Amino acid sequence: MPTETAKPSVKLSLPLEYQQDVFSELRSEDELLVLARGLGLLRVVTNLLHSYDAVGNNLVVIVGADERENGWIGEALAEHAAVSRTAAARGLSTINTDTVSVGTREKMYAKGGIFSITSRILVVDLLSRLLNPETVTGLIVLHSERIVATSIEAFIIRIFRQMNKNGFLKAFSDNPEPFTTGFAPLAAMMRNLFLRKPSLWPRFHVTVAKSLEGRKKAEVIELEVPMTDGMRDIQNAILECVEVSIGELRKANTGLELDDWTLDSALHKSFDVVIRRQLDPIWHRVSYRTRQIVNDLSVLRSILHALLTYDAVSFHKYLDTILAAHQPPPGSNRQNQSPWLFLDAANTIFETAKRRVYAGKPIEGDNPGPTGSSPDTLRPVLEEQPKWNLLADILEEIERDAYFNPGFRDDSNGTILIMCSDQGTCRQLREYLHNMHVYMEQDKEDDEENDTVSDPKPSAAFMMRRKLRNYLNWKKDFARVSASLFTENQKALEGYTDQRGANGYRGKAPPNKRRRVRGGSAAAAGGGRPVSSGMQMAEDKESQVASLLADIQPNEADGAQKEEIVLDSLDDMEDYFELYEMNDLVVIHPYDGDMDEHVLEEVRPRYVIMYEPDAAFIRRVEVYRSSHSDRNVRVYFLYYGGSVEEQRYLSAVRREKDAFTRLIKERGNMAVTITLDGAAADPQEQFLRTVNTRIAGGGRLAATSEPPRIVVDVREFRSSLPSLLHGRSNIVIPCMLTVADYVLTPTICIERKSVRDLISSFKNGRLFNQAETMLQHYKHPMLLIEFDQNKSFTLDTFGTDHTTALTTANNPSDLQSKIALLTLAFPRLKIIWSSSPYQTAEIFEELKKQQEEPDPIKAVQTGLVAGEDPSDQSFNQTPQDMLRAVPGMSEKNLSRITLEVANMVDVSNLGQEELDVMVGKEAGRQVWRFFNRSVLED
């Protein structure tokens, strides 16, 4: 780190002792800082950056920051510069592909300052020397828990440290759990980061505890809310389904590490990722049932979350969509349905969820009766969430407290801040608070009959009746959409069957056209849809649903409510808009990580209601209260007693504590990492390493004074291969290539495809065009098919991903057949099979032996028309793949639309006349009909 000659006065915003200690450590030496969640990691980072920014002659690069963090850091640096009055401070400059060109980047780097650069741009700029690593003062790495040996961030750090031995390097993380998986994970992470010292700051650190548990503690009121009987029954049934599913997985996969496959682990957010990571290497060998259960676990966990956050009507609606999605496809047998749907617990889930919305048993189709005279009709139940009433009581208590204690004033506002898990819950609470004092006529009559004089209690009856009306209307449309989509699928299935019948049953009728079919079932005949239970119920109880709708029709109370404003033109703002008084505000906000600190600082609430538990936010409130001695905060902490919500919260706290305990133990036993400086090696030794002594077959003894060069397309830096090539002492030259992905020699070019990319390239025909252009310009074109290092080196895993009626062994469009057709069409095209990027790097090294080095300028110009700019040929591939699937879209039409239309939204909004001009009348009509067709039409 360069020494600053004249340090300007820098004012920092680190009021707590542990924050000051962390800052002092970071300024004195390079280290990895792991801070517990909620303790203000970004505040430490921004103060550290300001200390370098205030000098004015530094060039500091931030790696791994997302868009929100860039906004936070930029705002904080501007605020620090204004407070410190440092004229030399330049603030944050953000560089991404959307806004900054190559020439502009070069000028910005020359001026210096604090830069947040996306990883793909930064690695290309470092390799092309647009940004000279030797001129960089230091590197700040955020989210260091994501860095693995093959990641692009590890590649950036290696380039920086190889070229710059004096610049500082500091890494940050507030997520300790990833540092504890695998063998010696902390030591491996330190090697990837080129650092030697880890600094660990858990919540139980002595200095942190002393800073947060002093006299200025926040007042916390913990409120345990009992669940209703229906919610408890559904939760127990879901947990039973999860337990049975995990048991099935454990029985079917006995050869794996199964310690984490427990019901307690299933409550954690990363459970799906853990299961899939362990099954990935043998995914092609696991049974269809196992794959189905893995998917079912994700569904069951989402149902468990929805039970505690959705209202009763929305939860019942969500279950309807899940049941419809799990209906077996046409022509399949019942064994293809998810196993958990056949458990008694699953029946409990669906029946109890329905009873929470409305009660009454519909008349069975086998025993019809006069519907009008039937006493057994549907009636609305509309069970309310228990937290709603408690929330209303808390708001009433806060109002009483503010009324009876008006003299108590401090720097806080009287604002009430309600924190939720997501935006959906925020909308739900907003609607409840808006309508909780709207009473129905029936409620008023009941109060009059009971001679009640007191004010009626807050109720969600009005809101729930409106939701039930919307649900019943939605269900009618849902049945129509489902029938329409089924008809489309059936047509496609019959078309495919007819095509196979025409090709495979010449001279005799296809099986489903014969006179006699054994069994006579609909499945055997190939047509007809088995009537699902959900559809049957909807038909049977149509009259009861009509009576239910009549009971909940809108009345005067509905008409008196204001309509929801979806879009406002903001005309006459002065007449209709004004600034609210902060003491009258109720702010409902979702948890949003570090951004919650901004909310607390800007709103300055006196009352905080945590509608759902979150350990990190509790710490943020502790830090906020301890940082401001003149602001009092009262926190209401709500949770469902005996629920998975409580268990998940306690499990998250315990996991973080255990992770820090393991990290502290590993740090005590960790060996010192000594990095070998390659530049300090003997020059003669370096020269001898480049000598090729292989002279068999008429070869010659050759030696080069510089490492081998490989020209790489800039779009290839998404993969780990360029990093591995650089690690094997190759000079990686990033260029915008029109032909191929890698150019190894003047005659050898390689198009790299992962297996997923290979499948998509075959589907849209892009691979044939790429092979054709490579054959035109290079003597030895090659197709590299690269597999994932953590998966099996076989195509079976990809051939069995989608087991539908259309993907059978006789289907000629499978992957192996397409590869064979490709080799027949292009005999000169060589195919290289690689089991991992590591083996690919070895293969490239073998191919380059005894060969000349490629010319980067010639490689860039290959495939271009004279005078054409290579940067004009780069388009986003994903929208192009989407457009290829649109009817009437050929390659020629696609290129026209790509050149003339900016994005997919503009394509979908084009009129038929505009499309006719671009792609022709018939193709234009097909494209226009695709984007403008309604799924509700018959």
Side-chain angles (χ1 to χ4, degrees), residues 42 62-74 92 94 96 116-118 142-143 146 592 594-595:
L42 274 184
I62 305 171
V63 179
D66 58 33
E67 190 175 347
R68 295 183 315 159
E69 288 166 340
N70 286 335
W72 171 298
I73 294 171
L92 179 71
T94 305
N96 54 44
S116 178
I117 312 174
T118 56
L142 302 181
H143 301 293
R146 301 175 185 171
D592 199 16
D594 288 313
M595 303 301 130

Side-chain angles (χ1 to χ4, degrees), residues 403-449:
Y403 180 79
F404 288 112
N405 302 302
F408 180 71
R409 289 286 180 267
D410 56 12
D411 194 40
S412 296
N413 295 314
T415 307
I416 303 169
L417 178 63
I418 304 176
M419 299 299 294
C420 308
S421 61
D422 52 32
Q423 287 285 0
T425 311
C426 290
R427 286 192 294 269
Q428 177 198 103
L429 291 184
R430 178 180 176 275
E431 188 177 0
Y432 171 72
L433 295 178
H434 184 67
N435 297 313
M436 67 180 180
H437 293 301
V438 179
Y439 302 103
M440 313 306 296
E441 295 296 328
Q442 185 179 358
D443 298 336
K444 295 178 181 178
E445 292 173 5
D446 293 341
D447 290 341
E448 291 173 3
E449 290 175 6

Side-chain angles (χ1 to χ4, degrees), residues 7-301:
K7 287 188 177 181
S9 60
V10 176
K11 295 181 181 179
L12 304 176
S13 59
L14 298 172
L16 302 180
E17 183 182 351
Y18 81 88
Q19 295 173 337
Q20 297 163 7
D21 291 350
V22 169
F23 179 82
S24 301
E25 274 188 16
L26 289 167
R27 281 293 299 191
S28 60
E29 56 186 327
D30 293 350
E31 64 181 19
L32 165 65
L33 172 67
V34 183
L35 194 65
R37 291 188 197 90
L39 295 185
L41 180 69
L42 274 184
R43 180 185 287 266
V44 175
V45 172
T46 51
N47 279 273
L48 179 68
L49 288 170
H50 174 59
S51 67
Y52 292 111
D53 188 31
V55 180
N57 60 352
N58 290 322
L59 173 57
V60 180
V61 177
I62 305 171
V63 179
D66 58 33
E67 190 175 347
R68 295 183 315 159
E69 288 166 340
N70 286 335
W72 171 298
I73 294 171
E75 187 178 327
L77 287 177
E79 188 177 327
H80 280 303
V83 172
S84 300
R85 296 182 180 178
T86 49
R90 301 177 185 178
L92 179 71
S93 301
T94 305
I95 294 180
N96 54 44
T97 50
D98 298 328
T99 55
V100 186
S101 64
V102 174
T104 309
R105 293 205 302 269
E106 192 172 13
K107 294 177 183 176
M108 293 172 70
Y109 295 149
K111 294 178 181 177
I114 310 291
F115 291 93
S116 178
I117 312 174
T118 56
S119 298
R120 281 183 59 205
I121 293 178
L122 180 57
V123 71
V124 170
D125 288 352
L126 289 173
L127 288 171
S128 61
R129 293 302 182 94
L130 189 69
L131 172 60
N132 189 350
E134 296 174 0
T135 64
V136 178
T137 309
L139 215 58
I140 300 287
V141 182
L142 302 181
H143 301 293
S144 56
E145 73 277 357
R146 301 175 185 171
I147 295 178
V148 295
T150 56
S151 66
I152 194 168
E153 288 80 13
F155 189 12
I156 290 168
I157 294 170
R158 189 198 315 142
I159 297 170
F160 170 74
R161 193 44 87 203
Q162 284 179 355
M163 302 290 182
N164 189 337
K165 308 297 182 187
N166 300 319
F168 69 79
L169 177 57
K170 306 180 193 300
F172 299 87
S173 176
D174 59 356
N175 188 10
E177 284 91 344
F179 290 93
T180 60
T181 56
F183 176 73
L186 184 60
M189 185 64 70
M190 301 305 289
R191 283 197 300 273
N192 295 338
L193 294 170
F194 285 78
L195 292 171
R196 295 187 182 183
K197 180 187 175 185
S199 180
L200 309 176
W201 292 80
R203 173 62 179 83
F204 55 82
H205 194 287
V206 176
T207 311
V208 176
K210 180 182 174 184
S211 301
L212 300 183
E213 296 175 3
R215 292 176 299 171
K216 299 181 288 185
K217 287 180 65 176
E219 179 187 0
V220 180
I221 301 172
E222 191 174 295
L223 298 168
E224 180 178 335
V225 187
M227 293 192 295
T228 63
D229 293 338
M231 293 174 68
R232 190 175 292 106
D233 291 343
I234 293 175
Q235 176 181 284
N236 294 336
I238 296 172
L239 291 177
E240 182 182 338
C241 293
V242 171
E243 196 166 11
V244 170
S245 300
I246 292 176
E248 289 290 326
L249 281 180
R250 292 174 71 94
K251 279 192 289 185
N253 301 278
T254 53
L256 298 176
E257 183 68 34
L258 306 176
D259 293 343
D260 288 335
W261 294 24
T262 61
L263 186 60
D264 182 54
S265 300
L267 303 180
H268 202 260
K269 289 180 180 178
S270 61
F271 182 69
D272 298 333
V273 179
V274 171
I275 291 277
R276 188 59 199 260
R277 187 187 296 133
Q278 286 188 273
L279 288 175
D280 253 349
I282 60 167
W283 191 249
H284 63 291
R285 285 194 281 117
V286 299
S287 63
Y288 174 74
R289 185 181 179 85
T290 299
R291 301 179 192 191
Q292 201 169 33
I293 292 173
V294 171
N295 182 54
D296 291 343
L297 280 172
S298 300
V299 173
L300 287 167
R301 280 156 43 83

